[in-house]
Amino acid sequence: MWRKVPAIIITTITPVMTMIDLHCHILPGLDDGARNEEEALAMAETAVKDGITTIVATPHVLDQGYRGARERIAAQVEDFNGKLRAAGIPLLILPGAEVMAAPEVPGYFRAGDLPTLDAAGRYLLLELPFQESPWYLERILFELRVAGVTPVLAHPERYRYLRQSPNLLIPYINNGLLTQINAGSLLGYFGEEVRRAAEIMVTHGMAHLVASDAHRPRGARKPVLSSCRRELTVLAGEEVAKRLLEENPAGVIAGETLQVEEPREYRPAKKGFRRLVAWVSGKNC
Ligand SMILES: [Fe+2]
Protein backbone atom coordinates (compact mmCIF):
# COMPACT_ATOMS: atom_id res chain seq x y z
CA MET A 1 0.00 0.00 0.00
CA TRP A 2 1.23 3.47 -0.90
CA ARG A 3 2.15 5.55 2.11
CA LYS A 4 3.04 9.16 2.28
CA VAL A 5 6.70 9.61 3.23
CA PRO A 6 7.48 12.52 5.55
CA ALA A 7 9.34 15.29 3.70
CA ILE A 8 12.16 15.24 6.22
CA ILE A 9 13.08 11.67 5.15
CA ILE A 10 13.11 12.53 1.44
CA THR A 11 15.50 15.41 1.92
CA THR A 12 17.98 13.32 3.89
CA ILE A 13 18.26 10.48 1.36
CA THR A 14 21.32 10.78 -0.85
CA PRO A 15 21.87 8.55 -3.91
CA VAL A 16 24.28 5.66 -3.43
CA MET A 17 27.27 6.39 -5.62
CA THR A 18 30.36 4.37 -6.35
CA MET A 19 33.26 6.67 -6.98
CA ILE A 20 36.29 5.12 -8.59
CA ASP A 21 39.44 7.10 -9.26
CA LEU A 22 41.26 5.40 -12.12
CA HIS A 23 44.40 7.51 -12.14
CA CYS A 24 46.16 8.47 -8.93
CA HIS A 25 49.78 8.63 -7.74
CA ILE A 26 49.00 7.51 -4.21
CA LEU A 27 51.65 4.84 -3.61
CA PRO A 28 54.40 6.31 -1.43
CA GLY A 29 57.91 6.93 -2.68
CA LEU A 30 57.54 5.43 -6.16
CA ASP A 31 57.35 8.50 -8.37
CA ASP A 32 56.47 12.22 -8.19
CA GLY A 33 53.26 11.42 -6.26
CA ALA A 34 53.00 10.78 -2.51
CA ARG A 35 56.48 11.32 -1.06
CA ASN A 36 56.05 9.07 1.97
CA GLU A 37 53.54 6.93 3.79
CA GLU A 38 52.14 9.81 5.81
CA GLU A 39 51.37 11.76 2.65
CA ALA A 40 49.86 8.68 0.98
CA LEU A 41 47.53 8.12 3.95
CA ALA A 42 46.57 11.81 3.89
CA MET A 43 45.70 11.43 0.19
CA ALA A 44 43.54 8.42 1.07
CA GLU A 45 41.70 10.44 3.72
CA THR A 46 41.07 13.27 1.26
CA ALA A 47 39.69 10.78 -1.28
CA VAL A 48 37.39 9.09 1.24
CA LYS A 49 36.04 12.45 2.42
CA ASP A 50 35.17 13.19 -1.21
CA GLY A 51 33.21 9.93 -1.50
CA ILE A 52 35.84 7.96 -3.44
CA THR A 53 35.66 4.25 -2.57
CA THR A 54 38.28 2.75 -4.90
CA ILE A 55 41.53 4.08 -6.32
CA VAL A 56 43.60 2.49 -9.03
CA ALA A 57 47.19 3.30 -8.09
CA THR A 58 48.97 4.41 -11.25
CA PRO A 59 52.64 5.21 -10.61
CA HIS A 60 54.65 6.33 -13.63
CA VAL A 61 56.37 3.44 -15.41
CA LEU A 62 59.09 4.58 -17.79
CA ASP A 63 62.77 4.39 -18.74
CA GLN A 64 64.32 1.44 -16.89
CA GLY A 65 61.13 0.66 -14.97
CA TYR A 66 59.11 -1.40 -17.46
CA ARG A 67 60.55 -4.82 -16.67
CA GLY A 68 58.86 -6.41 -13.66
CA ALA A 69 56.63 -3.37 -13.01
CA ARG A 70 53.49 -5.47 -12.60
CA GLU A 71 54.84 -7.58 -9.73
CA ARG A 72 56.57 -4.63 -8.10
CA ILE A 73 53.44 -2.47 -8.06
CA ALA A 74 51.17 -5.36 -6.96
CA ALA A 75 53.40 -5.90 -3.90
CA GLN A 76 53.31 -2.17 -3.07
CA VAL A 77 49.52 -2.12 -3.39
CA GLU A 78 49.11 -5.09 -1.07
CA ASP A 79 51.37 -3.45 1.47
CA PHE A 80 49.55 -0.11 1.27
CA ASN A 81 46.10 -1.74 1.54
CA GLY A 82 47.35 -3.24 4.82
CA LYS A 83 48.38 0.24 6.02
CA LEU A 84 44.94 1.60 5.13
CA ARG A 85 43.22 -1.18 7.07
CA ALA A 86 45.48 -0.57 10.06
CA ALA A 87 44.65 3.16 9.92
CA GLY A 88 40.92 2.42 9.63
CA ILE A 89 40.59 4.23 6.27
CA PRO A 90 37.81 2.62 4.17
CA LEU A 91 39.46 2.78 0.76
CA LEU A 92 40.45 -0.01 -1.63
CA ILE A 93 43.57 0.38 -3.75
CA LEU A 94 43.90 -1.63 -6.96
CA PRO A 95 47.13 -2.04 -8.92
CA GLY A 96 47.68 -0.10 -12.14
CA ALA A 97 50.27 2.09 -13.82
CA GLU A 98 50.68 5.12 -16.04
CA VAL A 99 52.94 3.73 -18.72
CA MET A 100 55.05 6.10 -20.81
CA ALA A 101 54.57 5.30 -24.49
CA ALA A 102 57.80 3.96 -26.00
CA PRO A 103 58.53 1.65 -28.93
CA GLU A 104 59.25 -1.27 -26.58
CA VAL A 105 55.95 -0.97 -24.62
CA PRO A 106 53.99 -3.59 -26.64
CA GLY A 107 56.84 -6.08 -26.08
CA TYR A 108 56.79 -5.49 -22.34
CA PHE A 109 53.01 -5.85 -22.34
CA ARG A 110 53.16 -9.17 -24.19
CA ALA A 111 55.77 -10.38 -21.68
CA GLY A 112 53.37 -9.61 -18.79
CA ASP A 113 55.51 -6.85 -17.31
CA LEU A 114 52.94 -4.04 -17.35
CA PRO A 115 50.05 -3.60 -14.90
CA THR A 116 46.72 -2.79 -16.49
CA LEU A 117 43.83 -0.84 -14.96
CA ASP A 118 41.86 -4.09 -14.54
CA ALA A 119 42.63 -7.61 -13.37
CA ALA A 120 41.63 -9.05 -16.75
CA GLY A 121 44.43 -7.16 -18.54
CA ARG A 122 42.13 -5.30 -20.95
CA TYR A 123 42.93 -1.62 -20.31
CA LEU A 124 46.40 -0.05 -20.28
CA LEU A 125 46.86 3.58 -19.17
CA LEU A 126 49.38 5.31 -21.43
CA GLU A 127 50.99 8.73 -21.22
CA LEU A 128 52.80 10.60 -23.99
CA PRO A 129 55.58 13.18 -24.09
CA PHE A 130 54.08 16.63 -23.44
CA GLN A 131 55.59 18.64 -26.27
CA GLU A 132 55.65 16.42 -29.36
CA SER A 133 53.62 13.49 -30.60
CA PRO A 134 55.96 10.46 -30.77
CA TRP A 135 56.63 9.13 -34.28
CA TYR A 136 55.88 5.55 -33.15
CA LEU A 137 52.49 6.30 -31.56
CA GLU A 138 50.34 4.80 -34.32
CA ARG A 139 52.45 1.64 -34.43
CA ILE A 140 52.37 0.95 -30.68
CA LEU A 141 48.64 1.62 -30.44
CA PHE A 142 48.13 -0.89 -33.24
CA GLU A 143 50.43 -3.46 -31.62
CA LEU A 144 48.68 -3.10 -28.26
CA ARG A 145 45.29 -3.61 -29.89
CA VAL A 146 46.61 -6.72 -31.64
CA ALA A 147 47.87 -7.94 -28.24
CA GLY A 148 44.29 -7.66 -26.95
CA VAL A 149 44.57 -4.57 -24.76
CA THR A 150 42.74 -1.26 -25.12
CA PRO A 151 45.06 1.72 -24.67
CA VAL A 152 43.65 4.49 -22.47
CA LEU A 153 45.35 7.82 -23.12
CA ALA A 154 45.90 9.81 -19.93
CA HIS A 155 44.91 13.50 -20.01
CA PRO A 156 45.00 14.20 -23.80
CA GLU A 157 44.00 17.80 -23.04
CA ARG A 158 47.41 18.40 -21.42
CA TYR A 159 49.49 17.55 -24.51
CA ARG A 160 50.22 20.70 -26.49
CA TYR A 161 49.70 19.08 -29.90
CA LEU A 162 46.36 17.51 -28.94
CA ARG A 163 44.88 20.53 -27.21
CA GLN A 164 45.76 22.66 -30.23
CA SER A 165 44.20 20.09 -32.62
CA PRO A 166 41.77 17.89 -30.67
CA ASN A 167 40.49 16.37 -33.93
CA LEU A 168 43.79 14.45 -34.15
CA LEU A 169 42.24 12.12 -31.57
CA ILE A 170 39.36 11.06 -33.82
CA PRO A 171 41.14 8.42 -35.97
CA TYR A 172 42.79 6.96 -32.86
CA ILE A 173 39.44 6.74 -31.05
CA ASN A 174 37.86 5.17 -34.11
CA ASN A 175 40.62 2.55 -33.90
CA GLY A 176 39.83 1.72 -30.28
CA LEU A 177 41.69 4.29 -28.18
CA LEU A 178 39.94 5.54 -25.04
CA THR A 179 40.82 8.80 -23.33
CA GLN A 180 40.89 9.90 -19.69
CA ILE A 181 40.44 13.58 -18.85
CA ASN A 182 41.83 15.05 -15.62
CA ALA A 183 39.24 16.42 -13.20
CA GLY A 184 41.57 19.38 -12.52
CA SER A 185 41.71 20.24 -16.21
CA LEU A 186 37.94 20.79 -16.28
CA LEU A 187 38.26 23.01 -13.21
CA GLY A 188 40.94 25.17 -14.84
CA TYR A 189 43.85 24.03 -12.62
CA PHE A 190 46.16 23.64 -15.64
CA GLY A 191 45.19 26.92 -17.31
CA GLU A 192 42.51 28.19 -19.61
CA GLU A 193 43.83 26.50 -22.76
CA VAL A 194 43.80 23.07 -21.11
CA ARG A 195 40.35 23.68 -19.64
CA ARG A 196 38.98 24.65 -23.05
CA ALA A 197 40.54 21.57 -24.69
CA ALA A 198 39.03 19.31 -22.00
CA GLU A 199 35.62 20.86 -22.61
CA ILE A 200 35.90 20.34 -26.36
CA MET A 201 36.84 16.69 -25.85
CA VAL A 202 33.94 16.10 -23.45
CA THR A 203 31.37 17.78 -25.67
CA HIS A 204 32.56 16.09 -28.89
CA GLY A 205 32.56 12.46 -27.76
CA MET A 206 36.36 12.38 -27.44
CA ALA A 207 36.41 11.74 -23.65
CA HIS A 208 35.55 8.43 -22.02
CA LEU A 209 36.77 8.64 -18.44
CA VAL A 210 37.51 11.30 -15.83
CA ALA A 211 40.02 10.73 -13.02
CA SER A 212 41.97 12.85 -10.56
CA ASP A 213 45.62 12.15 -11.55
CA ALA A 214 46.28 13.26 -7.97
CA HIS A 215 49.81 13.67 -6.60
CA ARG A 216 49.25 15.37 -3.23
CA PRO A 217 46.72 15.29 -0.36
CA ARG A 218 45.80 18.96 -0.75
CA GLY A 219 45.73 21.72 -3.35
CA ALA A 220 45.16 21.46 -7.08
CA ARG A 221 46.54 17.91 -7.33
CA LYS A 222 44.42 16.31 -4.59
CA PRO A 223 42.27 13.19 -5.15
CA VAL A 224 38.77 14.64 -5.45
CA LEU A 225 36.13 14.16 -8.13
CA SER A 226 32.96 15.73 -6.69
CA SER A 227 33.69 19.32 -7.72
CA CYS A 228 34.40 18.16 -11.24
CA ARG A 229 31.08 16.30 -11.24
CA ARG A 230 29.26 19.61 -10.84
CA GLU A 231 31.33 21.13 -13.67
CA LEU A 232 30.67 18.16 -15.96
CA THR A 233 26.95 18.23 -15.25
CA VAL A 234 26.72 21.90 -16.20
CA LEU A 235 28.84 21.30 -19.30
CA ALA A 236 27.35 18.12 -20.68
CA GLY A 237 24.47 16.99 -18.46
CA GLU A 238 24.00 14.49 -15.64
CA GLU A 239 24.02 11.48 -17.96
CA VAL A 240 27.49 12.26 -19.36
CA ALA A 241 28.83 13.11 -15.88
CA LYS A 242 27.60 9.76 -14.58
CA ARG A 243 29.05 7.88 -17.54
CA LEU A 244 32.52 9.47 -17.31
CA LEU A 245 32.82 9.42 -13.53
CA GLU A 246 30.97 6.26 -12.56
CA GLU A 247 29.80 3.86 -15.26
CA ASN A 248 32.86 3.80 -17.50
CA PRO A 249 35.43 3.62 -14.63
CA ALA A 250 33.41 0.74 -13.11
CA GLY A 251 33.35 -0.98 -16.52
CA VAL A 252 37.12 -0.56 -16.91
CA ILE A 253 38.06 -2.08 -13.55
CA ALA A 254 35.64 -4.94 -14.24
CA GLY A 255 37.34 -5.52 -17.61
CA GLU A 256 34.06 -5.00 -19.47
CA THR A 257 33.67 -3.65 -22.99
CA LEU A 258 32.57 -0.01 -22.91
CA GLN A 259 29.93 1.31 -25.28
CA VAL A 260 31.36 4.55 -26.62
CA GLU A 261 29.79 7.14 -28.87
CA GLU A 262 31.33 8.13 -32.17
CA PRO A 263 33.63 11.17 -31.79
CA ARG A 264 32.47 14.33 -33.53
CA GLU A 265 34.72 16.79 -35.34
CA TYR A 266 35.40 20.04 -33.51
CA ARG A 267 34.91 23.08 -35.75
CA PRO A 268 36.28 26.27 -34.20
CA ALA A 269 34.07 29.34 -34.59
CA LYS A 270 35.16 31.80 -37.28
CA LYS A 271 37.41 34.65 -36.11
CA GLY A 272 34.70 37.35 -36.51
CA PHE A 273 32.28 35.29 -34.44
CA ARG A 274 34.92 34.67 -31.76
CA ARG A 275 35.48 38.46 -31.56
CA LEU A 276 31.74 39.02 -31.20
CA VAL A 277 31.52 36.43 -28.41
CA ALA A 278 34.53 38.01 -26.67
CA TRP A 279 33.01 41.48 -27.03
CA VAL A 280 29.62 40.31 -25.68
CA SER A 281 31.31 38.58 -22.73
CA GLY A 282 33.46 41.65 -22.09
CA LYS A 283 36.79 39.96 -22.83
CA ASN A 284 39.55 41.01 -25.20
CA CYS A 285 40.25 38.97 -28.33
FE1 LIG B 1 49.51 10.73 -13.84
Side-chain angles (χ1 to χ4, degrees):
M1 186 181 135
W2 183 85
R3 291 201 328 186
K4 194 174 176 186
V5 180
I8 185 74
I9 293 179
I10 294 172
T11 54
T12 54
I13 291 172
T14 49
V16 177
M17 207 165 60
T18 310
M19 288 262 270
I20 298 163
D21 189 0
L22 277 183
H23 181 172
C24 185
H25 299 261
I26 193 168
L27 293 179
L30 281 189
D31 61 2
D32 57 344
R35 286 166 288 197
N36 50 47
E37 195 184 302
E38 191 187 342
E39 201 166 56
L41 289 172
M43 284 177 74
E45 280 176 338
T46 301
V48 167
K49 270 187 205 148
D50 195 56
I52 293 169
T53 53
T54 306
I55 283 180
V56 182
T58 52
H60 294 286
V61 169
L62 66 168
D63 298 334
Q64 309 306 313
Y66 295 110
R67 190 173 300 284
R70 193 161 63 95
E71 282 183 13
R72 226 170 30 244
I73 292 168
Q76 293 265 350
V77 165
E78 198 181 332
D79 182 60
F80 189 58
N81 272 324
K83 302 267 166 51
L84 287 170
R85 278 194 297 274
I89 301 173
L91 180 70
L92 176 66
I93 307 293
L94 298 174
E98 182 177 18
V99 177
M100 175 56 82
E104 57 271 33
V105 160
Y108 282 114
F109 176 77
R110 287 191 294 268
D113 279 307
L114 303 180
T116 48
L117 295 172
D118 59 309
R122 290 196 60 187
Y123 294 99
L124 182 71
L125 185 67
L126 275 184
E127 66 173 329
L128 301 177
F130 276 96
Q131 295 307 321
E132 275 185 23
S133 179
W135 56 268
Y136 46 80
L137 180 59
E138 205 166 323
R139 182 171 68 75
I140 66 165
L141 292 179
F142 174 75
E143 283 187 38
L144 288 169
R145 294 289 291 147
V146 169
V149 69
T150 297
V152 177
L153 181 59
H155 42 63
E157 75 281 3
R158 295 196 61 204
Y159 305 119
R160 187 178 53 82
Y161 41 96
L162 291 179
R163 71 171 177 262
Q164 287 173 350
S165 308
N167 291 333
L168 290 175
L169 283 171
I170 292 177
Y172 293 125
I173 292 170
N174 286 335
N175 281 313
L177 179 76
L178 297 180
T179 70
Q180 172 261 307
I181 304 288
N182 277 7
S185 297
L186 286 160
L187 295 169
Y189 294 163
F190 301 99
E192 179 56 22
E193 209 182 315
V194 172
R195 189 190 64 78
R196 180 70 191 127
E199 284 190 359
I200 290 167
M201 290 168 190
V202 166
T203 54
H204 289 75
M206 300 180 200
H208 309 104
L209 302 150
V210 171
S212 77
D213 190 11
H215 285 63
R216 294 283 179 267
R218 285 169 283 279
R221 305 306 300 272
K222 65 184 175 184
V224 298
L225 296 171
S226 57
S227 39
C228 166
R229 186 186 186 92
R230 289 191 286 275
E231 197 72 25
L232 263 179
T233 304
V234 171
L235 179 69
E238 176 58 32
E239 201 179 309
V240 171
K242 191 169 184 214
R243 196 184 317 138
L244 300 190
L245 281 166
E246 288 180 51
E247 294 170 355
N248 285 353
V252 164
I253 65 168
E256 293 168 357
T257 302
L258 303 191
Q259 302 299 323
V260 299
E261 59 177 330
E262 202 165 315
R264 297 174 297 283
E265 188 183 351
Y266 165 62
R267 296 181 188 202
K270 295 265 188 306
K271 207 173 174 187
F273 183 68
R274 282 206 306 270
R275 278 191 182 144
L276 178 64
V277 170
W279 181 75
V280 168
S281 60
K283 293 177 186 166
N284 292 325
C285 283

